[in-house]
Amino acid sequence: MARFTLACETFAFVLLTSLLTNNLAAHRQERDRGNSNYPPLWDDVPDSLAGFVSIRNKTVVNPWNYLERMGMYKILLSVTAKYMSNFGPSNTGNVLWGLPLQHGWQFITGRLADPSNVSSCGQKFGDSLCISTRSWWSCMNYYLATIPFLGAVEAGFFEDWPFEIKILPPEEYMDKFCYTAAGCHAQNPEMMSKWTTLFQLLKKSKEFSQIKLLPEEDDIWQHLWIAHVASIEAALPKFSDRLADISAPEAEFGVSWANAVEFIAATHFPTNFNQTNTFQAFLPPRMLSAGDKAPSIPDLSKEQNRALVALDILNKGNKLTGGWCDWLLRVWRRAMCSEDGRAQGQNLLENIVVDPDRISTGIRSLLLEYIKNRNCIIINS
Ligand SMILES: *[C@@H]1O[C@H](CO)[C@@H](O)[C@H](O)[C@H]1NC(C)=O
Ligand SMILES: *[C@@H]1O[C@H](CO)[C@@H](O)[C@H](O)[C@H]1NC(C)=O
Ligand SMILES: *[C@@H]1O[C@H](CO)[C@@H](O)[C@H](O)[C@H]1NC(C)=O
């Protein structure tokens, strides 16, 4: 490696290859396709505004209750279904599936509960549907649930609903969140407008071809990911204090997962129903505790252990060399600048956990894409 005078960007690829292959290429696993599951309690979740309480001409949504926060997602899936009918049968191709499925995973794995034991919010034998304002995951997810919902409201998706939609503030930490499109614009104009833009774009769109990815279809993915990343960037610094309440491995996993989303975003990863379920099976099925050390956490699968190692590498690399991740992200984004590059990137992300033997071939293909995309204009942030 050192014999060549490599450009620093190439070095990033080589480093990534050697780190990943040395750490992960232990066994070739047969592919473990995740089972396709709806989020927990899906049938109890309201799928229209009529399922919420309306008093004095106001429809009230409490995002600190699991069924109601999930209700915002279910409504979004439902009102956008007609724009995405060609992406797959029964709305399975809807680009928004990634969000409710992630939220369901957070709920079922206990991540939305009060980690400090100050209250029984979210505890199995307490108020089990409560979403705690003290949970890092709950607070981060607010920015990926309520904000998109308000974006759809602002884009006019509920124009025909006769009542005003009111988002209830939590009992504590009220100033950490926003409750109306106008309030969110005031607090974080860039983030809010990115979500509104996505929904305006959807509303304008008609039908998409299912045969070949049309430019406007890829455009939807791109806008979704741009908005997603903006939410995470807005929320991360606000809730870093919540990380002190969870174990060190869990806190590291959370932050590295949030950072990894930028890499996933650059591939315009199709977070539809099937793909998200498949990928989500690689995330830890319970909160990590103090003694957990991947890749040898006994009750986690090989893929789950590997995914934790891969996330840790990205995170540590960033900490050790200061900005390594930013630099790598720049390289990654350029490789992802073409449709071929994004397909290779999606493959690589999948192989990191399911088929590590193919990682180095994958990275070589990406390097070629990176070189080919020298003159490509990168639109993402
Ligand atoms: C609710 O809206 C209707 C129709 O606009 C109006 O007649 C009624 O007075 C309103 N009720 C309240 C409690 O504001
Ligand atoms: C998801 O999987 C189901 C069952 O295999 C299939 O019928 C459907 O077409 C898939 N949806 C998408 C969007 O690929
Ligand atoms: C919270 O309470 C449970 C049981 O009530 C206990 O096992 C656990 O150690 C407590 N956690 C903290 C952080 O106090």
Side-chain angles (χ1 to χ4, degrees):
M1 197 158 68
R3 279 185 298 134
F4 303 99
T5 334
L6 294 168
C8 61
E9 292 121 332
T10 314
F11 177 71
F13 271 120
V14 176
L15 188 63
L16 185 68
T17 318
S18 60
L19 282 173
L20 292 175
T21 46
N22 288 344
N23 282 282
L24 301 167
H27 320 265
R28 175 183 278 269
Q29 275 285 114
E30 68 260 34
R31 298 194 155 211
D32 175 22
R33 292 267 142 219
N35 48 353
S36 296
N37 285 325
Y38 284 87
L41 305 175
W42 189 244
D43 290 339
D44 299 333
V45 174
D47 60 0
S48 78
L49 286 167
F52 288 84
V53 175
S54 292
I55 31 167
R56 282 189 227 100
N57 292 348
K58 284 196 173 99
T59 301
V60 182
V61 179
N62 175 11
W64 302 96
N65 171 282
Y66 170 74
L67 294 179
E68 298 196 26
R69 192 182 285 193
M70 192 59 100
M72 293 193 281
Y73 285 135
K74 203 169 176 182
I75 291 172
L76 287 182
L77 283 170
S78 153
V79 298
T80 57
K82 67 177 169 193
Y83 305 104
M84 296 191 242
S85 55
N86 282 334
F87 291 9
S90 316
N91 209 15
T92 51
N94 196 309
V95 303
L96 297 174
W97 267 117
L99 298 168
L101 287 169
Q102 265 286 289
H103 188 50
W105 166 80
Q106 292 164 348
F107 176 74
I108 204 77
T109 58
R111 289 182 162 86
L112 303 176
D114 182 349
S116 66
N117 272 7
V118 169
S119 71
S120 71
C121 177
Q123 309 289 351
K124 223 183 229 156
F125 302 107
D127 185 356
S128 64
L129 296 177
C130 174
I131 295 181
S132 173
T133 50
R134 291 166 188 268
S135 146
W136 180 82
W137 292 96
S138 303
C139 294
M140 292 293 293
N141 179 260
Y142 185 93
Y143 279 73
L144 289 167
T146 309
I147 313 301
F149 185 73
L150 290 171
V153 172
E154 192 177 27
F157 270 87
F158 307 105
E159 274 164 347
D160 297 336
W161 185 248
F163 306 130
E164 182 194 333
I165 299 166
K166 184 176 164 53
I167 305 288
L168 273 193
E171 280 166 21
E172 34 180 20
Y173 312 113
M174 273 184 66
D175 59 341
K176 295 257 191 194
F177 307 96
C178 57
Y179 311 97
T180 59
C184 298
H185 277 296
Q187 200 182 78
N188 202 315
E190 244 189 83
M191 171 194 70
M192 189 63 228
S193 62
K194 282 171 178 170
W195 282 107
T196 304
T197 303
L198 167 70
F199 286 101
Q200 281 166 342
L201 190 74
L202 270 180
K203 211 155 184 264
K204 274 195 304 205
S205 66
K206 295 195 187 74
E207 301 216 316
F208 296 110
S209 155
Q210 63 188 23
I211 300 143
K212 171 114 179 68
L213 201 69
L214 291 176
E216 62 263 38
E217 189 178 337
D218 195 49
D219 208 31
I220 299 282
W221 291 116
Q222 174 164 337
H223 277 84
L224 173 71
W225 280 115
I226 286 177
H228 192 124
V229 167
S231 276
I232 287 184
E233 281 176 355
L236 255 182
K238 278 197 162 69
F239 302 110
S240 52
D241 58 335
R242 306 285 195 283
L243 293 167
D245 290 333
I246 51 185
S247 76
E250 176 71 12
E252 266 168 39
F253 160 62
V255 171
S256 59
W257 178 227
N259 285 330
V261 164
E262 301 227 16
F263 284 85
I264 301 172
T267 72
H268 299 181
F269 190 83
T271 47
N272 61 29
F273 186 81
N274 298 344
Q275 293 270 29
T276 308
N277 269 311
T278 303
F279 246 76
Q280 197 154 273
F282 304 138
L283 296 179
R286 61 165 174 82
M287 289 188 81
L288 300 178
S289 43
D292 286 334
K293 193 154 170 39
S296 39
I297 306 176
D299 60 328
L300 264 57
S301 71
K302 284 222 162 59
E303 289 82 1
Q304 288 161 352
N305 270 299
R306 273 194 213 126
L308 286 173
V309 171
L311 288 168
D312 191 48
I313 290 171
L314 273 185
N315 202 27
K316 282 230 176 69
N318 200 31
K319 264 196 219 146
L320 285 178
T321 58
W324 182 77
C325 211
D326 280 347
W327 171 46
L328 184 62
L329 188 57
R330 272 204 309 277
V331 178
W332 178 263
R333 279 198 182 128
R334 193 170 104 192
M336 295 301 108
C337 194
S338 62
E339 203 180 306
D340 281 350
R342 290 191 288 274
Q344 305 272 15
Q346 289 171 19
N347 260 332
L348 176 63
L349 291 180
E350 192 168 337
N351 283 334
I352 286 174
V353 282
V354 297
D355 198 356
D357 290 351
R358 284 163 55 183
I359 290 174
S360 41
T361 328
I363 289 180
R364 268 198 299 279
S365 320
L366 277 190
L367 187 53
L368 287 178
E369 291 301 325
Y370 174 79
I371 293 163
K372 278 199 284 189
N373 293 347
R374 192 161 281 282
N375 298 314
C376 192
I377 296 153
I378 301 165
I379 306 154
N380 291 42
S381 55

